[in-house]
Amino acid sequence: MITADRSPRLAAPAPHHAGRVAAERAEIDDAATTEVDALTLGRRIREHRTARSMTLGELAAAIERAPSQVSAIENGKREPRLSMLRTIASALGTTVDELLRTDAPSERAALEIAVERAQRGPVFAALGLDPFRVAKGMNDQTLATILALHNEIDRLHRERAATPEEARRANAVLRAEMRSRDNFYPELEAKAAELLEAVGHTGGPVSHQLVADMASHLGYSLHYVGDLPHSTRSVTDKRNGRIYLPTQQSPSRDSRSPILQALASHLLGHSEPHGYADFLRQRIETNYLTAAILLPEQAAVRFLTEAKNLRRISMEELRDHFAVSYETAAHRFTNLATARLGIPVHFTKVHESGTIIKAYENDRVRFPSDALGAIEGTTMCRNWTARTVFDVEDRFSPWYQYTDTPSGTFWCTSRIEKAKEGEYSVSVGVPFEHVKWFRGRETPHRAVSRCPDPACCQAPAGLAERWADASWPAARTPTSLLAALPTGTFPGVDQTEVFAFLEAHAPRA
């Protein structure tokens, strides 16, 4: 990066040049934020010098600098000031813009730059390897081999570093992005609409047959098998255009979702994720596109707008109208609530242990979080709807509740859903001023939450004193929340098992 402040100082200018230097300094300061890769810049200078058959000494003499200074610039170890860069460009018969191009001047130069950058990274330092000079005599194959070994070691290091902290940090970053966009992604809405139009969907719930037509339209056939790898929901054979699905469907899962999720990855051009954050982003995009297909934007907005006008927005009615799960309906509502209805909203999925699995908000609600800003894995306040719903005997009716908090009063509607890890509450809520649009606003149920005040959910002092040293509970929290993230390109998936499965099921010539 070329900057005004970080570059090494050169010889002081003569007094009679003070005015010119001051003007150049102002220009340099204006360009201080321009980032240029020093290695690429150095290689471009070297390429232009050798193309003009100039020696290092000749270029140094032309710009009135020591050869060692020019060598340091060409090797990417020194960042020239803008004024020096102009002088170098003039001596080489080129322009500053040409020298500042971000692409490498040749394939060989690109390879040398990559190896140099690798040597300056943490992998070489961690291995205790001394850097070496990339000599002209080293052939391309040698450099490519060194680079491949470095990249593989770097991948293994990142894989081992896939800790819960990395996952929580990635979740916090993505949630901030979702909040900034009100959880609405027009580009994904457009892809969903395009696919629905291609298969002739004219309205109503998207049938399983229509989903199969989408697969066929995109060049895939569906194959139901009894030996799908246990760590997968589906496996796609991109070479032969096949999507493998389990013959036995879980009663708690929509049979259309695994197909649409597989197609979504194809539509979005997903490649193998190069880290947990990339994996998480792909999963969010896939789930978004799947919901946008099952609840098409125009139809869903029309339905919700009518419900808003009647002041009876209901997650249950949204679920039933489009024949989707309650969780899918709740998720989809968060996509459209703010962007299309002008309603700020929050969403939670909370395990029966009180552990937050998923959460989203753009309505000022305050969820518990850790020092990284992550919400997943923290404990929801015992007084929130997402927790009190577990104490309700009637599991067939929606549970509505107002909760008074330090950041305002919020209304929530919640339901309990079952999964193999136990029961979960899925909740959608809004600030008090927007409850007028929802069915269930007349509920008498009300609670007070003082969280994040630690006294809110703590046991009474006397009770805590009696049992603090005499209790030893066994947690029911899903182990997936407590363990380190599984390693691998796709966390939790046994790729060897997947490869063996595809080999066994691939069509034979």
Side-chain angles (χ1 to χ4, degrees):
M1 180 174 65
I2 295 176
T3 70
D5 297 324
R6 292 177 54 206
S7 303
R9 296 195 173 276
L10 305 178
H16 63 279
H17 288 170
R20 175 174 58 81
V21 171
E24 288 181 347
R25 175 58 57 84
E27 293 178 358
I28 293 170
D29 288 340
D30 289 340
T33 58
T34 302
E35 294 193 5
V36 179
D37 181 78
L39 286 168
T40 303
L41 173 62
R43 288 306 190 283
R44 297 199 72 83
I45 292 173
R46 180 180 296 169
E47 289 280 332
H48 279 278
R49 176 176 62 77
T50 56
R52 294 176 66 87
S53 301
M54 291 180 70
T55 66
L56 194 68
E58 288 172 340
L59 177 57
I63 64 172
E64 299 182 350
R65 293 292 182 267
S68 59
Q69 290 180 324
V70 178
S71 177
I73 292 172
E74 290 191 353
N75 290 322
K77 296 178 180 179
R78 182 168 186 169
E79 300 169 356
R81 292 182 182 277
L82 188 58
S83 56
M84 178 184 283
L85 199 56
R86 290 198 188 100
T87 305
I88 293 173
S90 177
L92 295 175
T94 186
T95 64
V96 170
D97 287 342
E98 171 64 22
L99 295 181
L100 290 178
R101 283 175 51 184
T102 57
D103 57 312
S106 65
E107 291 185 9
R108 167 71 183 196
L111 195 56
E112 291 180 354
I113 290 170
V115 172
E116 288 280 5
R117 187 174 291 119
Q119 292 188 76
R120 301 179 186 186
V123 172
F124 266 69
L127 295 174
L129 297 176
D130 294 328
F132 59 89
R133 188 174 68 86
V134 179
K136 292 182 180 179
M138 290 184 178
N139 60 43
D140 291 1
Q141 185 59 47
T142 299
L143 296 179
T145 300
I146 293 171
L147 191 60
L149 289 171
H150 166 272
N151 291 342
E152 178 61 14
I153 294 171
D154 182 54
R155 185 189 69 80
L156 291 172
H157 272 288
R158 284 186 287 107
E159 185 176 273
R160 290 169 185 154
T163 62
E165 285 72 24
E166 179 188 354
R168 295 163 75 76
R169 202 181 300 273
N171 268 308
V173 170
L174 275 175
R175 188 180 304 102
E177 178 189 312
M178 293 161 67
R179 188 186 302 114
S180 71
R181 301 182 63 161
D182 290 327
N183 202 22
F184 182 75
Y185 290 73
E187 64 275 18
L188 299 181
E189 301 286 351
K191 283 188 178 293
E194 182 181 350
L195 182 58
L196 287 162
E197 182 180 1
V199 296
H201 179 256
T202 56
V206 177
S207 66
H208 194 284
Q209 181 57 55
L210 203 62
V211 171
D213 292 343
M214 293 178 186
S216 179
H217 171 73
L218 295 172
Y220 285 92
S221 57
L222 306 180
H223 300 263
Y224 291 86
V225 297
D227 60 340
L228 195 73
H230 73 281
S231 60
T232 64
R233 294 180 183 175
S234 70
V235 173
T236 301
D237 179 350
K238 296 192 290 186
R239 177 180 300 142
N240 297 297
R242 292 181 161 202
I243 297 176
Y244 294 100
L245 300 151
T247 51
Q248 292 187 346
Q249 297 289 335
S250 169
S252 64
R253 294 193 182 278
D254 189 327
S255 62
R256 299 165 297 175
S257 293
I259 304 171
L260 290 174
Q261 287 168 349
L263 296 177
S265 293
H266 168 82
L267 281 168
L268 296 171
H270 287 162
S271 56
E272 286 193 359
H274 49 262
Y276 187 80
D278 193 31
F279 166 78
L280 188 60
R281 179 178 295 278
Q282 289 184 10
R283 189 176 68 174
I284 288 173
E285 291 175 348
T286 295
N287 290 339
Y288 188 111
L289 185 56
T290 297
I293 293 172
L294 292 174
L295 295 88
E297 180 186 4
Q298 289 189 3
V301 170
R302 186 165 54 248
F303 177 84
L304 289 169
T305 300
E306 182 179 352
K308 182 183 179 184
N309 292 337
L310 294 173
R311 298 182 178 237
R312 53 172 299 148
I313 295 176
S314 163
M315 297 305 109
E316 286 79 12
E317 291 184 6
L318 183 64
R319 172 199 64 190
D320 296 342
H321 185 80
F322 289 95
V324 295
S325 70
Y326 184 87
E327 184 175 351
T328 298
H331 264 301
R332 188 65 175 136
F333 181 72
T334 69
N335 300 148
L336 304 172
T338 308
R340 290 291 179 260
L341 304 175
I343 302 174
V345 65
H346 65 264
F347 165 94
T348 61
K349 181 177 181 180
V350 177
H351 185 256
E352 58 185 319
S353 64
T355 305
I356 297 177
I357 308 301
K358 297 178 183 177
Y360 165 78
E361 56 78 22
N362 68 354
D363 62 353
R364 307 187 315 276
V365 72
R366 290 185 65 183
F367 292 131
S369 64
D370 61 14
L372 300 176
I375 295 172
E376 288 76 12
T378 59
T379 301
M380 174 64 82
C381 175
R382 297 175 60 86
N383 299 318
W384 268 90
T385 314
R387 294 289 302 277
T388 60
V389 67
F390 287 106
D391 299 325
V392 177
E393 292 184 6
D394 181 3
R395 296 295 178 92
F396 297 98
S397 301
W399 174 249
Y400 308 117
Q401 177 183 304
Y402 290 96
T403 308
D404 299 319
T405 79
S407 54
T409 297
F410 296 88
W411 171 92
C412 297
T413 176
S414 186
R415 266 196 179 274
I416 292 176
E417 294 199 334
K418 292 185 177 181
K420 63 181 180 180
E421 302 89 355
E423 292 186 332
Y424 294 88
S425 68
V426 176
S427 309
V428 172
V430 295
F432 179 81
E433 57 266 32
H434 288 277
V435 71
K436 58 188 176 182
W437 312 118
F438 290 81
R439 193 180 74 182
R441 60 187 177 276
E442 69 284 350
T443 181
H445 304 122
R446 199 174 194 108
V448 176
S449 169
R450 297 190 301 277
C451 285
D453 182 349
C456 180
C457 292
Q458 285 182 351
L463 190 65
E465 289 174 4
R466 285 196 302 274
W467 291 103
D469 297 327
S471 63
W472 189 269
R476 288 186 66 186
T477 303
T479 54
S480 59
L481 290 176
L482 304 177
L485 291 173
T487 59
T489 303
F490 299 93
V493 173
D494 184 336
Q495 282 196 291
T496 300
E497 188 180 17
V498 171
F499 296 156
F501 169 84
L502 287 173
E503 182 66 21
H505 285 270
R508 306 301 177 189

